[in-house]
Amino acid sequence: MESSERDLWRRRTVTRDGVQLAVFEAGDTDAPTVVLVHGWPDTHHLWTHVAPILARRYHVVAYDTRGYGESDAPSGDAPYRLAELAADLFAVIDAVSDVPAHVVAHDWGSVQTWEAVTTAGADDRIASFVSVSGPNLDHLGTWAREKLARPTPTALRQALSQIASSAYTVMFQLPVVPKVFFGALGWAPVWRQFLHRVEGTAPGDVAVGPTLHHDMISGLRYYRANIRAHLFSPDARSTTVPTLEIVNTRDIALRSAIFDNTPRYTDGLWRRDLPTGHWLPYSRPELLAENAVDFIESIISGEPSATVARARVTGDTRGAVEGTLSVVTGGGSGIGRETALLLAAEGGEVVIADIDLGAAQKTADEITGSGGTARAYALDVADSDAFARFAATVAETHGVPDIVVNNAGIGLAGALLDATDAQIRRLVDINLVSVATGSREFGRLMVARGLGGQIVNLASAAAFTPQRGLGAYAATKAGVLLLSESLRAELAEHHIGVSAICPGIVDTNIISATEFAGATGDNQERLRDRMNGMYRRRGFTPDRVAVEILDAITRNRAVVPVTIEASVGYRVYRFLPALSRRMARTSLF
C-alpha cells in the first residue's frame, strides 16, 4: 500500500459467518456513509483516486470482497454465490453505519450490489445505488432470452454483439485453463499496460494491490459460481432503491443495449450514458465522483440537480436522446421548431433560441404541455457577443449541452450583381458566421467537459448544387458544409461529432422572409409568392428534416443530403461536375 493510501484509510475487520472482510474507512464518521464495492480483479485499491474526493464530504467505506486482497478466501465456488456476496455487503453496512448507506459499485461489485438491492428489505440498509459497468445478471439473462426469442435484425445484432464482448467469460469458467493463463506472468505491469491500451490510463492511474496475481485467479470463482445459473435460469426481481446506472458507451465488455430493460425492475431509475470505458474509476475518477456526489446529494435533499433531473428514466422504453440537453437555434419555426419537438419527444431537455422570443416560447410551451422540459431564449445569432453570453448562460443555468443544432438562417435570392453589401453581410453573418460562433462557443464547453457531444449545422443542397439566382446563399451554405467537415476532423479526438444537414426544397417559412436582390415593392412579393408556391407544391415538410437530424445525431453522420433532389445533386456535383454547372444555368424564378 502506498503511503498516500495508508494516510487515507483506517483499517478494521468485519466478520460474517466466519469470513473476515478487510474494511477501510476514510472521512468524517458523522457524515453520510458511502460504501464502495470493487470488481474483478481489483481490491479496495480501485478507489484510490475516487475515495479522497468523496471523503471531503462523506464517511467513505471500501472493503476487499471475499476472495480478494486482505479478506478471507473460502475454498470452493459455493461461498461466492451472489446471495453470499450480498449478505457480506449488508454486514459491512450494518457495521459501519446506523442508517442506510449509499453504495457506489463497479464491475462485479455492481453485480453483487444488484443482488443486494433486489433483496427484500434492502431499503433498510441501502439509501441509493450508483452502478458502474456491472449489470444485474438476472436482468441480463432475461434480456438475452427475449432478444433470441424474437430475433429481429436489431435484436440479433445486439445479442451477438454482447456475446462476442463476453466471450472471455467462457474461458474464465473453465477449470484449469484460466489458472494456467493467469499463473504464467507477473501481472502488475501487464495489467497496467492492458488498461493503458484499452482505457488510455497512465501507469500512475492504476493502483493495483500486492495481491493482484492471487486475486485474478481467486476472483474466477465469481464467474463459475454465478454466470451460468443466473443467465440460463434468470430470476429477475425488482428494487425500490433509487439507482443511478452509469453506462459507459465505450465499454469493451458490456454493450449499452443490455441495460435497456432495467426500467422494468426499478421504481426509481436514473441513467447516464458516458463516452468512457469500463474502468471509469481509473480513467476518470473525478467524473465518477462528480456523478456520484450529484446523485447522492439529490437523493439526500430530495431536490435533484438539473443533471440528475435529466437522467431520470420515466418509462419502460428509452428515447433516442433520453437524458440529454440540446440547444436549437431558430427553434421558433420551421426545421428548428420540428427538431426541438422531436428531441423533446425522444426524452431530451431542449433550450430553444430564436430572434422572435414569442415564437420560441410557443415551441417551448408545446413541449412542456406534453410533459417535456424546454426553455426559450431570445437570441440574434448574428450578434456574436450575444451568442457568447447565451452559451455561457446555458452552461451556467442548464449545464453543458450534449447536442447543439445551429439551425437559424435566412435566404437571399436574385442575381449576385444586384445584391447590396448590406444584404450580403447580413446573409453571411446569420448563415455562416453564426454557425461558426455557435460551434466554437459550445464546442469549447464540450471539449472542456470531456464527455463528447454532437454539433449539427444546417447547410443546404445549395452547398453543392450551384444555381443561378442563389449564388450568395449557396456560398454561405457551402461554407457551412466545409466548416462542418473541417470541424468534424478537429473535434474527433474529443469524441464530438459534427454533422452537416443539407435539405433540398422544404416547405418552411424561410421563403416569406427571403429578399430578392434588385426587386422592390410588388415585384418582391410576386417573386416570393412564386417561390413559396413551388416549395408548397414540393410538399416536403420540416418534420421530415427533423427525423434526418435525429438520425444524424444518433449515428454521427457527417453529411446528410435530405430530399431526393439533394441526394441526386450531391452525387451529380461529386461525379459529374460539368453537368452540375450546366444545370445551374436554369433559373428557378
Side-chain angles (χ1 to χ4, degrees):
M1 184 183 296
E2 305 251 343
S3 60
S4 59
E5 287 190 79
R6 285 197 298 269
D7 294 339
L8 174 68
W9 298 115
R10 305 182 296 272
R11 192 191 187 286
R12 64 185 292 184
T13 300
V14 172
T15 303
R16 190 188 75 80
D17 285 355
V19 176
Q20 293 188 332
L21 302 172
V23 177
F24 304 85
E25 297 179 80
D28 183 358
T29 56
D30 291 330
T33 298
V34 177
V35 177
L36 308 176
V37 192
H38 69 83
W40 184 93
D42 305 297
T43 61
H44 73 282
H45 295 283
L46 173 74
W47 306 107
T48 294
H49 307 301
V50 175
I53 302 173
L54 297 180
R56 296 168 192 162
R57 62 193 308 161
Y58 302 119
H59 170 217
V60 177
V61 177
Y63 68 102
D64 293 343
T65 62
R66 60 172 61 198
Y68 288 93
E70 299 177 38
S71 292
D72 288 349
S75 59
D77 294 340
Y80 299 90
R81 291 175 181 153
L82 288 180
E84 294 294 331
L85 302 175
D88 286 350
L89 173 58
F90 288 138
V92 170
I93 292 173
D94 291 343
V96 300
S97 180
D98 295 329
V99 298
H102 304 272
V103 179
V104 179
H106 174 260
D107 189 74
W108 272 99
S110 182
V111 173
Q112 60 194 277
T113 304
W114 271 114
E115 178 73 14
V117 298
T118 55
T119 300
D123 308 69
D124 296 332
R125 271 107 149 230
I126 300 178
S128 73
F129 171 32
V130 178
S131 170
V132 185
S133 297
N136 180 300
L137 291 186
D138 296 296
H139 299 170
L140 176 57
T142 302
W143 176 87
R145 288 159 69 97
E146 291 175 351
K147 294 294 181 183
L148 295 174
R150 295 189 294 274
T152 64
T154 298
L156 194 59
R157 183 174 64 253
Q158 290 174 341
L160 292 177
S161 177
Q162 183 54 55
I163 289 170
S165 297
S166 301
Y168 69 94
T169 64
V170 176
M171 188 269 279
F172 279 15
Q173 295 175 72
L174 298 175
V176 177
V177 175
K179 292 182 180 180
V180 173
F181 177 74
F182 288 115
L185 296 170
W187 272 94
V190 175
W191 186 244
R192 286 192 172 97
Q193 184 62 26
F194 169 75
L195 291 183
H196 171 68
R197 294 291 183 184
V198 301
E199 301 285 326
T201 57
D205 295 337
V206 182
V208 299
T211 57
L212 176 65
H213 189 197
H214 165 270
D215 297 333
M216 283 183 157
I217 298 173
S218 178
L220 297 174
R221 291 178 286 198
Y222 282 53
Y223 293 86
R224 294 196 299 267
N226 297 295
I227 285 186
R228 281 173 290 178
H230 289 271
L231 293 187
F232 296 149
S233 301
D235 176 23
R237 294 167 288 139
S238 298
T239 182
T240 56
V241 173
T243 300
L244 170 63
E245 198 165 52
I246 294 179
V247 177
N248 298 303
T249 59
R250 297 205 298 274
D251 196 315
I252 63 168
L254 302 170
R255 302 277 74 85
S256 301
I258 69 172
F259 300 100
D260 288 347
N261 69 345
T262 308
R264 296 187 203 171
Y265 309 106
T266 49
D267 287 351
L269 177 67
W270 289 256
R271 172 170 163 167
R272 287 215 67 195
D273 287 35
L274 303 178
T276 43
H278 187 82
W279 274 274
L280 190 61
Y282 285 146
S283 63
R284 295 290 300 274
E286 73 296 332
L287 177 62
L288 174 53
E290 175 188 326
N291 277 272
V293 170
D294 196 18
F295 182 65
I296 291 168
E297 288 304 305
S298 293
I299 296 301
I300 291 174
S301 67
E303 298 178 0
S305 68
T307 304
V308 170
R310 274 196 297 276
R312 182 66 189 265
V313 179
T314 56
D316 288 345
T317 57
R318 183 171 175 80
V321 292
E322 188 95 28
T324 61
L325 173 65
S326 298
V327 173
V328 181
T329 66
S333 62
I335 295 171
R337 175 181 180 278
E338 296 300 330
T339 300
L341 293 175
L342 183 57
L343 292 173
E346 289 292 330
E349 179 181 343
V350 188
V351 172
I352 302 154
D354 200 286
I355 195 168
D356 182 347
L357 179 58
Q361 189 62 57
K362 187 175 179 180
T363 304
D365 289 344
E366 186 168 346
I367 290 171
T368 56
S370 300
T373 304
R375 177 75 184 276
Y377 287 85
L379 175 66
D380 178 359
V381 296
D383 185 338
S384 297
D385 291 338
F387 210 143
R389 291 193 298 271
F390 167 69
T393 298
V394 169
E396 181 179 351
T397 306
H398 306 278
V400 175
D402 305 287
I403 301 162
V404 173
V405 182
N406 289 305
N407 164 77
I410 62 170
L412 176 65
L416 180 64
L417 301 185
D418 293 330
T420 67
D421 285 349
Q423 287 174 322
I424 292 176
R425 287 196 182 102
R426 181 168 180 266
L427 182 73
V428 171
D429 284 346
I430 294 176
N431 284 11
L432 179 56
V433 175
S434 78
V435 172
T437 301
S439 298
R440 184 182 69 242
E441 295 297 334
F442 285 113
R444 286 170 176 168
L445 293 168
M446 289 176 173
V447 168
R449 182 182 61 167
L451 293 180
Q454 193 77 22
I455 296 173
V456 178
N457 295 328
L458 266 290
S460 168
F464 43 74
T465 50
Q467 209 163 76
R468 181 177 178 178
L470 286 177
Y473 175 80
T476 61
K477 293 303 184 178
V480 170
L481 176 58
L482 265 295
L483 180 147
S484 300
E485 292 260 52
S486 301
L487 187 62
R488 183 180 177 88
E490 288 182 22
L491 297 181
E493 64 188 86
H494 301 288
H495 306 288
I496 299 170
V498 181
S499 301
I501 310 298
C502 303
I505 299 174
V506 180
D507 185 13
T508 71
N509 65 353
I510 190 173
I511 303 304
S512 63
T514 294
E515 291 186 6
F516 284 76
T520 58
D522 293 342
N523 193 35
Q524 184 82 243
E525 292 305 315
R526 182 180 60 79
L527 290 170
R528 281 177 180 165
D529 289 344
R530 181 187 299 177
M531 199 169 185
N532 255 327
M534 181 182 69
Y535 275 58
R536 281 195 298 269
R537 286 191 299 273
R538 175 65 177 87
F540 198 97
T541 52
D543 57 302
R544 297 168 68 181
V545 183
V547 171
E548 295 291 335
I549 290 173
L550 179 64
D551 184 63
I553 292 167
T554 56
R555 295 171 54 197
N556 187 23
R557 297 171 65 188
V559 179
V560 184
V562 183
T563 71
I564 185 64
E565 64 271 15
S567 297
V568 171
Y570 187 50
R571 286 155 181 81
V572 169
Y573 187 69
R574 291 177 66 190
F575 301 114
L576 297 168
L579 176 60
S580 183
R581 288 191 287 271
R582 180 171 292 276
M583 292 168 61
R585 299 176 185 179
T586 302
S587 178
L588 293 178
F589 34 81

